[in-house]
């Protein structure tokens, strides 16, 4: 019985150490996602743009057509208005695989949701969103 408890204890300690090591990475990715979410909510294009690698892409469907927009163009469309939007945001989940990660975000407006799926890469300048796809879901009436 003691060897089994020892093995379980070692496994638990290894998992705990790994979780602690990954906590900073998760926090760093949350920070980048919040640049996007909070910057967009508050009309702060400077904060908003800190989330993205300008060479990245945003893709989505419009009327059965796949649309492709550079993140540089997406950032340029976001004006620094300082006007707060009527929406709530949340980071649903983050998955990390070395220097690559994905994040699922939800932005809720009064009549619809945006479901954003972000791909992130850790660069020499830190984590950056390099790809965004999204789906707009109307709320049920």
């Amino acid at each position: 019985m003691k060897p089994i408890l020892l093995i379980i204890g070692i496994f638990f300690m290894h998992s705990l150490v790994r979780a602690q090591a990954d906590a900073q990475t998760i926090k760093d990715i949350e920070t980048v996602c919040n640049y996007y979410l909070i910057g967009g909510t508050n009309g702060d294009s400077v904060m908003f743009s800190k989330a993205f690698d300008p060479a990245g892409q945003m893709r989505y469907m419009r009327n059965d057509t796949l649309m492709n927009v550079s993140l540089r163009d997406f950032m340029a469309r976001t004006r620094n208005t300082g006007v707060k939007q009527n929406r709530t945001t949340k980071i649903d989940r983050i998955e990390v695989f070395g220097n690559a990660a994905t994040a699922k975000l939800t932005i809720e407006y009064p009549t619809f949701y945006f479901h954003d799926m972000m791909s992130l890469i850790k660069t020499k300048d830190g984590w950056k969103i390099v790809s965004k796809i999204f789906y707009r879901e109307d709320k049920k009436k």
Side-chain angles (χ1 to χ4, degrees):
M1 182 72 173
K2 285 186 181 183
I4 292 173
L5 289 176
L6 180 61
I7 292 170
I8 291 171
I10 291 170
F11 178 76
F12 176 75
M13 291 304 289
H14 175 73
S15 297
L16 190 59
V17 169
R18 183 166 183 246
Q20 289 173 345
D22 291 345
Q24 185 61 49
T25 298
I26 297 296
K27 184 177 177 188
D28 293 345
I29 293 168
E30 287 173 342
T31 297
V32 170
C33 291
N34 280 320
Y35 289 152
Y36 165 71
L37 294 170
I38 295 168
T41 297
N42 294 324
D44 183 344
S45 64
V46 174
M47 178 182 281
F48 178 86
S49 295
K50 287 170 52 174
F52 297 104
D53 180 308
Q57 298 291 311
M58 176 174 69
R59 302 188 77 166
Y60 59 98
M61 295 298 293
R62 178 183 288 159
N63 300 324
D64 294 329
T65 301
L66 180 61
M67 306 298 292
N68 189 47
V69 176
S70 75
L71 289 177
R72 181 181 318 277
D73 290 344
F74 181 53
M75 289 185 294
R77 291 181 193 167
T78 303
R79 302 286 178 233
N80 198 28
T81 64
V83 175
K84 187 169 182 162
Q85 293 194 41
N86 180 18
R87 68 185 200 174
T88 59
T89 64
K90 70 177 178 173
I91 300 170
D92 298 306
R93 76 177 160 274
I94 294 172
E95 293 184 281
V96 181
F97 306 93
N99 67 352
T102 60
K104 164 57 173 80
L105 315 175
T106 299
I107 303 171
E108 181 179 359
Y109 287 89
T111 59
F112 64 92
Y113 301 93
F114 276 127
H115 301 284
D116 291 340
M117 283 68 62
M118 307 296 201
S119 297
L120 299 94
I121 296 287
K122 186 171 186 183
T123 70
K124 64 179 174 55
D125 297 320
W127 289 95
K128 296 289 181 181
I129 297 169
V130 295
S131 174
K132 171 186 171 174
I133 62 172
F134 70 91
Y135 175 71
R136 179 186 161 141
E137 175 188 10
D138 291 329
K139 288 186 175 180
K140 307 282 190 250
K141 293 182 181 183

